Amino acid sequence: METESRTFKVIARIRSDFPTKFGIPRQSGLVKSLTAQIIFEPPFRNPDAVRGLEQFSHIWLLWEFSQAVREEWSPTVRPPRLGGNKRMGVFATRSPFRPNAIGLSAVKLEGIHMDASLGPVLEVTGADLMDHTPIFDIKPYLPFADSYPEALGGFAEPLRSYRLEVEFPEPWRSMVPPDRLEGLTEVLAQDPRPSYHHDPERQYGFSFCGMEVHFTVEENRLTVREIIPG
């Protein structure tokens, strides 16, 4: 049977501090101090399109896992937080490897400003998107309809409070811009490594805000080993 298909318009792209996938928080809202901007594509830079959006504190982003687009799909995936060796149904996870590589994130709308050439620019915090990720749609978050405090978290619930203790010594700490330090520290506390990696001697690295951040992890402590300016 032929699969029915649809075409989506890219309405905007995000500008974030993550040029690659490694290091990005696994869910939106986990690192609330991360800042980003949403830049509309030229056909959608009409101020009327965001009229009234400033009245909402949070918004939904519907976007594409642009680095995970593929023709084939699997009914099961290995969630990283389960150690990478336990399979779960793809529709029971938020894995990027899906029949349609679509992501959904709730982010805080900090403000909207008008740019002479870019039109309305949305300032957001708490995003989990790689730089230049294509966005298909933006919708207001409605707390009376979108929030379910009694909802069950399934197999992800035990991982909710997981975090590492971060040791961020000088001179590396002072090399991070002050307005990015809290966000980077929280990203590290969330443990960017694949969950099946446990080698305390292995040094990991990822790009953040034009810097290369290198670190090691031993038991529950992450230590920043080096910051390389871009």
Side-chain angles (χ1 to χ4, degrees), residues 3-220:
T3 301
E4 187 176 5
S5 62
R6 292 286 188 272
T7 300
F8 290 94
K9 298 181 178 67
V10 176
I11 66 163
R13 293 182 185 273
I14 199 160
R15 300 279 178 84
S16 76
D17 288 326
F18 296 96
T20 62
K21 294 184 295 181
F22 192 77
I24 297 176
R26 290 180 170 85
Q27 305 293 339
S28 60
L30 289 180
V31 182
K32 296 178 172 56
S33 51
L34 286 178
T35 60
Q37 294 181 319
I38 295 173
I39 310 295
F40 287 95
E41 292 290 281
F44 306 100
R45 292 176 180 174
N46 187 330
D48 289 340
V50 295
R51 185 189 303 171
L53 191 62
E54 73 282 351
Q55 299 177 33
F56 297 89
S57 65
H58 293 73
I59 56 177
W60 288 108
L61 304 179
L62 188 68
W63 48 278
E64 181 184 53
F65 287 104
S66 53
Q67 301 297 305
V69 177
R70 55 181 65 184
E71 290 295 327
E72 299 178 352
W73 71 285
S74 171
T76 61
V77 295
R78 295 186 176 97
R81 281 302 193 206
L82 295 183
N85 53 16
K86 184 175 182 180
R87 284 193 171 274
M88 304 298 291
V90 64
F91 299 130
T93 76
R94 297 191 176 188
S95 167
F97 305 111
R98 323 182 66 78
N100 293 301
I102 295 176
L104 180 68
S105 297
V107 299
K108 186 176 182 181
L109 179 62
E110 300 288 353
I112 305 173
H113 75 264
M114 293 300 302
D115 183 275
S117 59
L118 300 177
V121 175
L122 309 187
E123 305 284 349
V124 300
T125 54
D128 56 341
L129 282 69
M130 188 175 71
D131 190 38
H132 282 81
T133 290
I135 296 173
F136 294 139
D137 202 7
I138 297 169
K139 301 178 186 292
Y141 178 96
L142 303 178
F144 64 86
D146 297 340
S147 177
Y148 294 87
E150 73 282 5
L152 300 179
F155 59 82
E157 189 64 31
L159 307 172
R160 181 178 180 180
S161 58
Y162 175 81
R163 60 185 291 114
L164 299 175
E165 180 183 348
V166 176
E167 183 178 343
F168 209 143
E170 296 291 354
W172 318 123
R173 186 181 183 90
S174 60
M175 293 178 64
V176 180
D179 63 338
R180 295 295 197 271
L181 182 59
E182 181 181 356
L184 175 56
T185 303
E186 282 299 306
V187 166
L188 294 169
Q190 294 291 327
D191 194 353
R193 302 172 303 161
S195 295
Y196 49 86
H197 285 195
H198 302 289
D199 183 358
E201 301 298 322
R202 180 168 180 173
Q203 189 168 126
Y204 300 86
F206 65 93
S207 299
F208 176 83
C209 191
M211 305 171 291
E212 286 290 325
V213 183
H214 293 181
F215 64 92
T216 59
V217 179
E218 183 172 5
E219 295 184 350
N220 200 44

